[in-house]
Amino acid sequence: MRAHSIGTSRIPPVERSTQRLWEAAVACDEAVAVSAVREVLDAGREPEQVLLDVIAVVQGRVGEEWAADRINVAQEHAATAVDEPAAGTVAHPPASFTKPFRGRITVACVDGEWHALPARLLAEVLELRGWNVDHLGAQVPTHHLVAHLRRTGPEAVALSSSIATRMLGADAWASDARSAAEHMNRGPLGVTRPDRQAIDDLPHLDDQEYTFVTRNRTQLVGAVLTALEDVDPAVRNYGQAQRERTAEGFCHTTLVLGVALYTGDETLFTDFLLWTADILAARGVPARPLPPALAALGRQLEDLPRATAMLRTGTTHLTSAPVRNSR
């Protein structure tokens, strides 16, 4: 029995171009990537749709393939390098140019953030929607960003970060470029008072749980490692490098718990735990220490009701949700 492939002419232009761009990214073929983007533009698709429903979709798949351990970091970087000029192809044609009429906005990655493409996509979308955009790219040191803002005086600053622990202090947030642009188009975010404190916007911080967790994370991680040695013999046999990596992982877990306490959004923590379990499973690393580690952390935080509730919810998610990307 012979299988017959579906002719590409029967596939909608966006789907066909997305597949071509994905194949080009995997093959590190910039010429084909640019051709795929031009094809979908020539078919009459709006530039914003191409940016967000083709290029962003492909880049998301690149991240998913890395998370599943089907491509390595070098391959992920190479694929991203192909997607960058594809985004430039959308932005450069004169037909897509929109004269700025909304004001000035600065788009940058936070200090320590090297994933530049999401910020680039947002910058392009904002320009298409009429903003005068200063796009500063990846890894912008805070003091340089502040100097730029003082010199240019934009109406708003949009900061891109792939890690939840770098999200603190924002007046608003969005999970993708389209929703961020729509949020900006609805009107100004308002002027921040010089004397404003976090407690003014996040009254739940009055319980000091966030402060306790973030200030004591080193001691908390040490206590968790000691507790794990008592319940898991394998941990007692860890070498120095394994112990350091384990401590680093639990330290980040504690930081994300702090962010969830700060924002009052426990899904930041539970989603991080599930993501961590998937990453470990894809690399053949058992995730069994996670629930006992959360239990040990809970015992250290037993006087903090919001933190312990989040830990219980996280444990429930870990033990009930199917693990993806397992080998």
Side-chain angles (χ1 to χ4, degrees), residues 222-237 243 292 296 299:
V224 168
L225 283 175
T226 300
L228 281 180
E229 290 177 349
D230 294 335
V231 299
D232 190 339
V235 177
R236 290 197 293 271
N237 297 323
R243 289 185 62 84
R299 289 191 290 274

Side-chain angles (χ1 to χ4, degrees), residues 204-216 220 257-258 261-262 301-310:
H204 57 267
L205 294 182
D206 191 43
D207 61 21
Q208 299 295 310
E209 293 198 26
Y210 160 74
T211 302
F212 181 88
V213 170
T214 54
R215 288 184 178 176
N216 294 281
L220 292 172
L257 175 63
L261 291 169
Y262 183 92
L301 303 176
E302 60 184 1
D303 293 329
L304 307 183
R306 289 198 301 124
T308 53
M310 288 184 184

Side-chain angles (χ1 to χ4, degrees), residues 220-299:
L220 292 172
V221 170
V224 168
L225 283 175
T226 300
L228 281 180
E229 290 177 349
D230 294 335
V231 299
D232 190 339
V235 177
R236 290 197 293 271
N237 297 323
Y238 279 0
Q240 183 62 28
Q242 286 177 299
R243 289 185 62 84
E244 289 177 357
R245 287 196 298 271
T246 302
E248 182 181 4
F250 290 146
C251 184
H252 198 65
T253 299
T254 305
L255 283 171
V256 175
L257 175 63
V259 173
L261 291 169
Y262 183 92
T263 60
D265 184 357
E266 72 174 12
T267 60
L268 288 172
F269 184 61
T270 55
D271 288 351
F272 167 78
L273 291 175
L274 293 176
W275 177 83
T276 299
D278 286 347
I279 293 293
L280 293 174
R283 286 151 180 78
V285 179
R288 66 175 183 273
L290 287 177
L294 296 181
L297 185 57
R299 289 191 290 274

Side-chain angles (χ1 to χ4, degrees), residues 58-319:
V58 169
Q59 190 60 29
R61 184 174 175 183
V62 170
E64 291 169 358
E65 291 296 295
W66 170 83
D69 203 29
R70 289 189 284 265
I71 63 174
N72 59 33
V73 172
Q75 291 170 308
E76 181 264 323
H77 287 183
T80 301
V82 170
D83 284 341
E84 284 277 4
T89 300
V90 180
H92 290 164
S96 67
F97 178 75
T98 301
K99 186 176 180 180
F101 62 90
R102 292 188 183 276
R104 190 168 194 165
I105 184 170
T106 294
V107 176
C109 293
V110 297
D111 198 349
E113 177 59 66
W114 291 97
H115 295 84
L117 189 56
R120 168 74 183 277
L121 294 175
L122 174 61
E124 302 293 359
V125 169
L126 289 171
E127 284 191 346
L128 289 169
R129 295 194 179 203
W131 287 90
N132 183 1
V133 179
D134 296 334
H135 177 219
L136 306 187
Q139 170 58 14
V140 181
T142 302
H143 62 287
H144 289 297
L145 174 62
V146 171
H148 175 83
L149 300 178
R150 287 175 175 169
R151 181 172 59 84
T152 59
E155 278 75 16
V157 183
L159 298 176
S160 176
S161 174
S162 61
I163 300 177
T165 53
R166 299 184 182 131
M167 290 170 53
L168 304 184
D171 294 301
W173 78 280
S175 59
D176 56 71
R178 182 175 281 119
S179 56
E182 290 172 353
H183 190 98
M184 293 303 304
N185 287 354
R186 285 196 292 267
L189 298 175
V191 178
T192 300
R193 301 193 321 271
D195 61 342
R196 191 189 75 175
Q197 302 294 318
I199 195 66
D200 297 331
D201 300 319
L202 304 171
H204 57 267
L205 294 182
D206 191 43
D207 61 21
Q208 299 295 310
E209 293 198 26
Y210 160 74
T211 302
F212 181 88
V213 170
T214 54
R215 288 184 178 176
N216 294 281
R217 63 179 179 273
T218 300
Q219 298 93 314
L220 292 172
V221 170
V224 168
L225 283 175
T226 300
L228 281 180
E229 290 177 349
D230 294 335
V231 299
D232 190 339
V235 177
R236 290 197 293 271
N237 297 323
Y238 279 0
Q240 183 62 28
Q242 286 177 299
R243 289 185 62 84
E244 289 177 357
R245 287 196 298 271
T246 302
E248 182 181 4
F250 290 146
C251 184
H252 198 65
T253 299
T254 305
L255 283 171
V256 175
L257 175 63
V259 173
L261 291 169
Y262 183 92
T263 60
D265 184 357
E266 72 174 12
T267 60
L268 288 172
F269 184 61
T270 55
D271 288 351
F272 167 78
L273 291 175
L274 293 176
W275 177 83
T276 299
D278 286 347
I279 293 293
L280 293 174
R283 286 151 180 78
V285 179
R288 66 175 183 273
L290 287 177
L294 296 181
L297 185 57
R299 289 191 290 274
Q300 296 296 315
L301 303 176
E302 60 184 1
D303 293 329
L304 307 183
R306 289 198 301 124
T308 53
M310 288 184 184
L311 290 167
R312 286 195 298 270
T313 301
T315 301
T316 299
H317 278 66
L318 276 176
T319 55

